[in-house]
Amino acid sequence: MSPGSAAGAPRVPVEERLFSLVLALLATDTGLTKNEILSTVQGYRQRYDHGGNNANLERQFERDKDDIRDLGVPLETVESPAESGNQNLRYRIPRGRYELPSDITFSAEETAILGLAAMVWREGSLSTESRRALVKLRALGGTSDEPVLGYAPTLRVRDSAFEPLRTALDKHHVVRFAYLKPGELESRVRTVIPLALVQHQGRWHLAAEETGTGAQRTFLLRRIVGQVAATGEIFDPRADDAPTRALRELEQVWSSHTAVVEVELESDAATRLLKRRGTVTAPSGALELHYSDLNIIADELAAFGPEVLVLSPAELRDAVVSRLALMARNHREDTRD
Amino acid sequence: MIRRPPTLQATDKLAFLLSLVPWLIDRAQVSVADTAKHFGMTEQQIREAVMLIAVSGIPGETQQYQDGDLFDIAWDRFEDDDEIVLTHLVAIDDSPRFSGREAAALIAGLQYLSALPENADRGAIDSLMAKLARGASTRPSEMAVEAGETDAALALIREAVATGVQVEFDYVNSRGDREHRHADPLRIESVDTDWYLRAWCHLRGAVRIFRLDRVSALTLTLLPIEFSAGDVPLPDELFEGSADDLFVTVEVTLAAVSLIADYIPDDAERITVGDRVRTSVRVSHFHALKRLVAGLPGMVTVVEPPEARRTVAEWAAAGAARYGIGPG
C-alpha cells in the first residue's frame, strides 16, 4: 500500500478505516459521493489531497468496497435521477438489508449444532467464512448447549480447483479448464458455466453447462488438471436449485451401477463393505454394492487385495485385475533398481 | 486437525467489531473477561476492539467527527474495573446478516453432519438451514454436501456417554485380526466419509482410535466407564505418529501426493524425479501400508525397505491369484 499524497499523516489501521466506512454509509439515507467519503471518512481523509490527484486513494476505496461486500454488508450504489455521471454516484448501506431480521434467533441447541457445522471446515475460504459466521451468531448473545458426546468432524477440500470454482460460481464467471477423463491419454479443455459444487460419496463434483452446446455435465474436481481460468464472460444466475438437482443426479448414477463381489468371511473387506451405504447381501452370500465411477470403485476394491473377488460387471473385474497385476509387477524383486 | 487460535485479518476484525457492538448494546455492562469468553478471543483483543469502537463514529454535520458523532464508553469503569459500558451509540443497532458464502459454509457443514444423532430431527435441521439462508444478505453459494445417513452406532455411543457405561464391540484391525473390545467412548471424529471413535480401550489400557466401519456387534454394557473425555488428553491430529511407527520410502505420482499427505511426516524429504516424488510415509505396520498402496494402484510404489515391498507384492499377488493370474 502506498502512503498516498498525505504522507506523514498518522496511520489509521485498516480495520478502523473499514469500520468507519461502514458506520458512515449506515448513517446516511441519501448516500455519500465518493469525494465526500474520501475527504471526510476516517482513514481516507488523512490521505486526501484537496484539489490534487487521489488515484491511489480511489483504488483503495474500490478494494475496501469489495472487502466489505465480501462480509455480507450490502453496500449499494445509487444514482440520483437529477444528476448523472460517475462523480454523482452515491454509496450507502441500507439498514434493512444490513441487519439480521429481528425474528431470526437461534436456540442453545441450534447454536451448538452450528458450532459443529463450522468446525467441519478446517482450511481454505470455507473455514474463514464459517468462523466469521460464528462471530455474527455470537452477536445475538445466545448460549450453546454443552454436547453430551464430543465431536471433531472434518470435511476436506483438497482439490486445488475448488476455490477458483467457488469464486466463479459466486461471481457468475464462465470458466475454462483442462479435464482428463479416465482412460483417455490427453486432457481436453472445457469451457463451462458453473452451476453448483456438490460433494457426493466424499468427492467434490462440479455441475456445469457447456457454453457451446448447452449440455449439462458433471465434472469430478480431482480430474481437473492445471488451472481454472475465468474467461471474462459473465452468465445470468439460474433460478433452479442446481445443487439439489446435481446431488439427485449423482445419486441416480450411483444407484444404477451395481457390482457383485465375494468377500472373505470375517475379513476387513467383509466388515467394511457390508457397512457401505446401500450394500445388500445376496442369497448366495455375495455382496451387491453401488458405485458412481468404475475407476474409483476399482481402486477401492483393489485395496482389499485377496479379501475381495469381483464377480460382475466384467469391466470392473478387469479393472481390478489389471490394478492388482500392475501393483504386483511394480513390487517384484527383479523390478527394483 | 490442528486448531490454532486464528490470526485475524482486517476483514475478520471488522466482522468482529460489527458483531461486538450490538452484543454490547444488549448488555448494560459486561466485563472484558466475559466478553472474551463469549467470543472466544483474548482479553487483550477485546480491550483493543473496545478502544477502537470508543474513538469511532461518523463524520457528522461538521464532517469533523465531533464528540456527539462518536461512540463513547464509561472510561473509568473500563480503566479501573475492566468493565465495558457503552454510553453513546452511533449508526449500529443490530447484528449484521451473514454473507451468502458464510451461510453456505454453515449449511454445507450441517448437511455433512446429518448423520449425527443430534440431527435425527431432519425437520429441525431443514428449518435451521432455511433460517441461515434467510439471514444472509445474498443468496448462499450454489453448494451442497450429500446428507449422511443417521448412524445407529453413533446413537448407541452417545447413549453410552450419557449414561456413563462402557461399550463392547468386535473390531477387525488392518492385519485382518478380529478382537473383542471394551471401551470408554471419548470422542467421535471424522474425515470426509470415514468416521472414527476415539476411546479408552480396556484391552490395550490406552487411548485408541477405531474406524466405525470396522466395528461390528456394538452394544452397551452395564460396566461403568473409567475415563471420560475430560480425564485423558486427546490429540488434535486424527493421525498422530507413534514411536513404534515404521518409515517407508515410496515413489508417488505428483497427483497422488495430496492423497497420502496424512502419512508423510512434516520433515520428510521430497525429491521430484520426472512426474514422481520420492518421499517417505509413516505407518503403524506394513499391513496398513499394503492397504494404502493397493488403494492407489500404479500411483504409489514402495521403494524400501525390502520387507515393505514384499508385503505389498504378496498382497497384490494374492489378490491377482484369486482371478487365476499367477506370478510371471
Side-chain angles (χ1 to χ4, degrees):
Chain A
M1 208 186 316
S2 71
S5 52
R11 235 186 116 73
V12 176
V14 181
E15 62 271 23
E16 183 174 349
R17 182 181 71 234
L18 296 175
F19 187 49
S20 303
L21 179 57
V22 172
L23 293 176
L25 296 183
L26 269 173
T28 171
D29 287 331
T30 50
L32 301 177
T33 65
K34 192 192 286 181
N35 264 331
E36 285 170 332
I37 292 167
L38 301 186
S39 62
T40 66
V41 172
Q42 176 74 354
Y44 299 103
R45 61 184 179 131
Q46 286 84 349
R47 290 159 51 193
Y48 185 74
D49 183 357
H50 289 269
N53 180 344
N54 288 292
N56 279 342
L57 206 52
E58 288 189 24
R59 278 196 293 275
Q60 182 68 66
F61 174 65
E62 295 303 318
R63 285 194 297 270
D64 289 350
K65 274 195 310 189
D66 289 342
D67 282 350
I68 284 174
R69 285 180 177 140
D70 283 348
L71 289 183
V73 173
L75 197 162
E76 275 185 0
T77 313
V78 278
E79 200 172 341
S80 35
E83 308 149 353
S84 66
N86 215 9
Q87 284 309 307
N88 293 310
L89 285 181
R90 292 178 167 271
Y91 300 92
R92 69 173 182 194
I93 298 170
R95 196 166 288 275
R97 286 180 50 218
Y98 168 82
E99 291 171 348
L100 199 64
S102 57
D103 63 322
I104 292 189
T105 56
F106 297 93
S107 69
E109 201 182 342
E110 288 176 328
T111 306
I113 294 282
L114 289 174
L116 278 181
M119 197 200 265
V120 162
W121 311 109
R122 311 281 173 120
E123 54 205 3
S125 66
L126 287 162
S127 164
T128 312
E129 285 150 8
S130 14
R131 267 205 322 268
R132 277 205 309 250
L134 282 193
V135 170
K136 293 180 181 175
L137 193 67
R138 290 192 188 108
L140 300 172
T143 51
S144 172
D145 272 351
E146 207 47 49
V148 171
L149 174 58
Y151 292 104
T154 319
L155 252 186
R156 281 179 174 163
V157 187
R158 288 247 159 116
D159 305 293
S160 57
F162 184 86
E163 297 284 351
L165 286 176
R166 187 162 178 238
T167 305
L169 261 180
D170 288 332
K171 298 195 183 294
H172 309 126
H173 289 163
V174 175
V175 288
R176 187 183 298 131
F177 52 78
Y179 192 72
L180 182 64
K181 270 175 106 170
E184 291 182 3
L185 292 173
E186 297 276 327
S187 61
R188 203 151 64 77
V189 173
R190 314 294 184 108
T191 304
V192 300
I193 291 169
L195 301 177
L197 278 165
V198 294
Q199 206 247 31
H200 186 259
Q201 294 289 294
R203 280 170 287 271
W204 285 98
H205 300 74
L206 172 74
E209 188 183 299
E210 283 189 333
T211 48
T213 59
Q216 307 261 329
R217 296 266 182 269
T218 304
F219 300 96
L220 197 55
L221 261 60
R222 72 152 78 155
R223 295 195 179 128
I224 293 178
V225 278
Q227 303 281 316
V228 174
T231 61
E233 265 175 284
I234 305 284
F235 65 88
D236 291 330
R238 308 299 153 100
D240 73 333
D241 186 353
T244 305
R245 184 161 47 84
L247 275 182
R248 196 172 52 231
E249 283 169 8
L250 283 166
E251 190 64 24
Q252 278 164 2
V253 170
W254 181 83
S255 51
S256 70
H257 289 149
T258 308
V260 183
V261 304
E262 231 173 63
V263 288
E264 202 179 293
L265 277 180
E266 304 246 303
S267 66
D268 189 43
T271 320
R272 288 174 60 191
L273 292 178
L274 192 58
K275 290 220 168 180
R276 210 167 176 273
R277 181 164 70 90
T279 299
V280 176
T281 310
S284 64
L287 301 183
E288 294 177 5
L289 316 172
H290 292 292
Y291 63 93
S292 314
D293 185 291
L294 186 116
N295 286 283
I296 290 170
I297 184 99
D299 288 351
E300 281 176 32
L301 294 178
F304 290 113
E307 295 175 351
V308 170
L309 178 70
V310 178
L311 302 178
S312 71
E315 311 83 70
L316 179 60
R317 193 181 153 99
D318 294 346
V320 171
V321 171
S322 66
R323 278 161 171 74
L324 291 166
L326 170 68
M327 192 167 41
R329 250 189 344 264
N330 284 348
H331 289 88
R332 253 169 37 186
E333 295 289 329
D334 49 12
T335 55
R336 176 114 185 259
D337 20 275
Chain B
M1 300 205 358
I2 303 167
R3 264 157 277 162
R4 295 185 194 89
T7 45
L8 296 184
Q9 304 293 318
T11 44
D12 291 326
K13 289 183 183 172
L14 174 61
F16 172 58
L17 291 168
L18 297 176
S19 305
L20 178 60
V21 171
W23 190 77
L24 292 173
I25 292 174
D26 286 344
R27 276 148 197 83
Q29 60 175 74
V30 63
S31 70
V32 167
D34 286 349
T35 310
K37 199 165 157 240
H38 181 76
F39 283 96
M41 302 181 74
T42 66
E43 295 186 10
Q44 192 48 36
Q45 284 172 319
I46 301 296
R47 283 185 207 106
E48 283 167 13
V50 170
M51 281 190 282
L52 196 160
I53 291 167
V55 299
S56 295
I58 56 171
E61 298 270 307
T62 61
Q63 307 197 331
Q64 293 298 316
Y65 286 93
Q66 299 291 322
D67 277 353
D69 304 323
L70 303 178
F71 281 96
D72 204 2
I73 61 167
W75 284 97
D76 48 345
R77 298 288 298 277
F78 185 61
E79 283 163 0
D80 302 341
D81 311 323
D82 225 12
E83 292 263 337
I84 312 165
V85 181
L86 288 184
T87 55
H88 191 254
L89 306 178
V90 187
I92 295 180
D93 299 320
D94 278 315
S95 310
R97 285 176 185 255
F98 302 111
S99 72
R101 287 169 66 101
E102 289 164 3
L106 290 187
I107 290 171
L110 284 173
Q111 291 167 336
Y112 174 62
L113 293 176
S114 58
L116 301 191
E118 282 81 355
N119 295 353
D121 182 353
R122 291 293 161 87
I125 296 299
D126 285 347
S127 85
L128 181 53
M129 293 196 288
K131 212 149 58 168
L132 289 170
R134 198 157 61 81
S137 55
T138 54
R139 185 166 152 172
S141 320
E142 303 292 337
M143 205 176 103
V145 174
E146 179 189 17
E149 287 190 326
T150 306
D151 187 324
L154 291 180
L156 271 181
I157 291 166
R158 184 173 189 270
E159 193 188 332
V161 172
T163 52
V165 297
Q166 297 178 17
V167 290
E168 60 179 314
F169 52 86
D170 288 331
Y171 193 68
V172 183
N173 65 19
S174 58
R175 280 189 189 84
D177 306 329
R178 180 177 293 259
E179 283 179 327
H180 191 69
R181 313 274 187 136
H182 278 80
D184 303 340
L186 303 172
R187 191 165 70 193
I188 297 294
E189 305 182 9
S190 76
V191 177
D192 301 338
T193 50
D194 300 330
W195 289 78
Y196 301 84
L197 165 67
R198 199 180 288 275
W200 178 270
C201 172
H202 290 276
L203 187 69
R204 298 278 184 266
V207 174
R208 283 287 184 270
I209 187 145
F210 301 100
R211 268 188 79 110
L212 280 179
D213 65 358
R214 285 185 169 143
V215 166
S216 52
L218 178 88
T219 53
L220 302 192
T221 67
L222 296 172
L223 302 166
I225 52 165
E226 288 175 26
F227 295 98
S228 56
D231 304 334
V232 212
L234 297 181
D236 279 342
E237 299 258 7
L238 184 56
F239 307 104
E240 20 141 32
S242 128
D244 305 330
D245 281 350
L246 304 167
F247 291 86
V248 177
T249 306
V250 293
E251 271 186 13
V252 198
T253 57
L254 286 171
V257 172
S258 72
L259 302 177
I260 61 163
D262 288 331
Y263 301 89
I264 304 176
D266 290 340
D267 56 359
E269 235 189 327
R270 298 173 186 223
I271 304 162
T272 306
V273 189
D275 64 343
R276 297 199 158 227
V277 180
R278 182 176 285 220
T279 185
S280 80
V281 292
R282 186 171 64 190
V283 289
S284 53
H285 45 73
F286 295 147
H287 295 285
L289 175 77
K290 75 188 180 192
R291 290 175 190 274
L292 176 70
V293 173
L296 300 162
M299 293 177 259
V300 182
T301 307
V302 176
V303 179
E304 56 181 16
E307 196 195 336
R309 264 181 79 84
R310 196 157 48 238
T311 309
V312 174
E314 283 167 5
W315 186 245
R322 295 215 54 186
Y323 299 91
I325 298 186

